[in-house]
Amino acid sequence: MMEVVNNVSLLSIILAGAFLIRERERGTIEHLLVMPVTPTEIMIGKMWPTALVVFVAALLAIVVVIRIWLAIPVAGSLWLLMLGLALQLFATTSLGILLATLAGSMPQFGLLLMLVLFPLQVLAGGTTPVESMPDFVRIPMMAAPDTHFVALARAVLFRGAGLEVIWPQILALVAIGLAFFVLSRWRFRRFLR
């Protein structure tokens, strides 16, 4: 179950960033710039399909593989989990776009991914409890969307928590997603110049 949660971040960051890098490497980003679209619309056009594909894949994995095939019961509301998943995808695709604007090529993007994905996967609480980490690790990881999504997913999937319990994680995902979106939008405008 936690592997599905961990792979959501991995796929959304890699795919969103790779789409943008490939457009730049092939020179097709200039074609988009002469169209009557804003840089924000171009950025959202890269984020939305990635989020949709990962959302559908995660939904199918939870419903078909985990609930039906493996017959593992899900304690909480699947719709509440999907709300958290949508907010997580907003934050992680924004992060993928941000990383793509920092990288000049696909190999540089791959190196950046190693620096970002490993801490997100290991320190977000999916494999080790956040509470057992020292403060110098735990406090910076509170700015990572994965930390809040793992807490949300565990609460909903394993304990059947409702909105009254997970609202802090939802607010954190909204705030982190908006911060990454605004920062990636600012970098994307500079990236296009």
Side-chain angles (χ1 to χ4, degrees):
M1 187 90 69
M2 291 314 296
E3 280 307 310
V4 172
V5 170
N6 285 334
N7 286 328
V8 164
S9 298
L10 178 85
L11 289 172
S12 60
I13 292 171
I14 290 173
L15 291 175
F19 287 158
L20 185 60
I21 292 285
R22 296 296 284 178
E23 290 273 354
R24 185 178 188 188
E25 285 181 346
R26 292 182 178 170
T28 53
I29 198 89
E30 286 80 15
H31 297 285
L32 293 174
L33 292 175
V34 298
M35 298 177 126
V37 292
T38 64
T40 304
E41 291 170 339
I42 295 171
M43 191 175 87
I44 291 171
K46 298 295 173 203
M47 293 168 56
W48 192 83
T50 300
L52 183 63
V53 166
V54 176
F55 185 87
V56 170
L59 181 63
L60 287 174
I62 291 170
V63 171
V64 174
V65 175
I66 292 174
R67 278 179 125 178
I68 296 172
W69 188 43
L70 296 176
I72 297 173
V74 175
S77 167
L78 187 62
W79 299 110
L80 198 54
L81 179 66
M82 292 299 112
L83 170 67
L85 177 63
L87 294 173
Q88 168 73 357
L89 287 170
F90 172 63
T92 54
T93 54
S94 295
L95 178 59
I97 296 290
L98 177 64
L99 293 176
T101 61
L102 295 172
S105 65
M106 195 61 87
Q108 288 177 353
F109 181 65
L111 291 173
L112 271 174
L113 285 175
M114 283 192 267
L115 294 173
V116 171
L117 288 177
F118 183 70
L120 283 180
Q121 297 291 313
V122 174
L123 302 175
T127 54
T128 56
V130 175
E131 297 80 22
S132 67
M133 296 179 193
D135 286 343
F136 71 90
V137 174
R138 186 175 39 82
I139 292 170
M141 285 307 293
M142 288 295 126
D146 291 37
T147 305
H148 302 285
F149 183 60
V150 166
L152 181 148
R154 279 190 172 159
V156 171
L157 293 173
F158 301 142
R159 293 189 302 268
L163 190 59
E164 68 279 355
V165 173
I166 63 162
W167 68 266
Q169 284 81 23
I170 288 179
L171 287 180
L173 283 171
V174 168
I176 292 167
L178 286 173
F180 279 145
F181 184 79
V182 168
L183 187 58
S184 63
R185 183 175 169 245
W186 176 73
R187 283 287 311 160
F188 187 67
R189 287 177 179 264
R190 296 187 67 203
F191 173 78
L192 294 176
R193 293 182 188 156

